[in-house]
Amino acid sequence: MNPILIVYENDRFAQLIQFVLTTAGYQIVKSNDPLELFEKVKELKPPLIVMDVFFKHIDGLYLLERLYGIKEFAPIPVFIVSSRNEPLTLFDALERGAADYLAAPINEDMLIDKVNKLLKGN
């Protein structure tokens, strides 16, 4: 199976997610630059993208919309896992096509369960 792509500018949060998912047996590729998203997806063909929606230089919801606007990328589920817990952002992310959304505080078992479900559906 191709690796899961995780995209976060917050390296500490990315390391937490990477640790949880690698401990669960998943192979991960991490990117700290959301502007590389399209290149990384084209290169890796990941079965799942786990990302934040809060970035310094680009709106993650806009990035999500653009990703799903590309026919070859549209089947890849995007799981938003964010350190911010804002109900409006959750609603917006799901409206724009996110497969699921998990907000802080992160429950490790729930994170793994959601990843398992998203990968089975893909």
Side-chain angles (χ1 to χ4, degrees):
M1 177 188 292
N2 292 2
I4 295 170
L5 175 62
I6 62 173
V7 184
Y8 288 87
E9 286 180 331
N10 180 333
D11 200 47
R12 289 184 63 171
F13 199 67
Q15 287 175 352
L16 168 66
I17 293 168
Q18 183 175 13
F19 175 77
V20 170
L21 295 180
T22 55
T23 301
Y26 291 109
Q27 186 180 10
I28 303 296
V29 171
K30 183 174 69 166
S31 173
N32 295 94
D33 185 357
L35 300 176
E36 290 181 343
L37 177 64
F38 300 98
E39 291 173 31
K40 290 286 188 184
V41 172
K42 190 170 215 143
E43 171 191 333
L44 300 170
K45 297 175 181 39
L48 176 66
I49 299 166
V50 179
M51 64 181 257
D52 202 346
V53 289
F54 297 101
F55 300 111
K56 291 177 194 165
H57 302 293
I58 191 164
D59 177 10
L61 295 175
Y62 171 76
L63 205 55
L64 176 67
E65 235 176 8
R66 291 286 314 268
L67 184 74
Y68 281 133
I70 299 171
K71 188 177 180 178
E72 68 182 292
F73 299 159
I76 302 170
V78 176
F79 180 23
I80 305 297
V81 181
S82 183
S83 60
R84 295 192 193 169
N85 190 354
E86 299 174 358
L88 187 57
T89 304
L90 179 146
F91 177 77
D92 282 347
L94 296 174
E95 280 286 305
R96 295 181 192 208
D100 207 340
Y101 192 107
L102 183 62
I106 302 301
N107 176 300
E108 294 176 12
D109 292 331
M110 188 178 290
L111 174 65
I112 293 167
D113 184 53
K114 287 179 177 277
V115 166
N116 287 337
K117 287 178 182 172
L118 289 168
L119 288 172
K120 284 180 184 172
N122 192 20

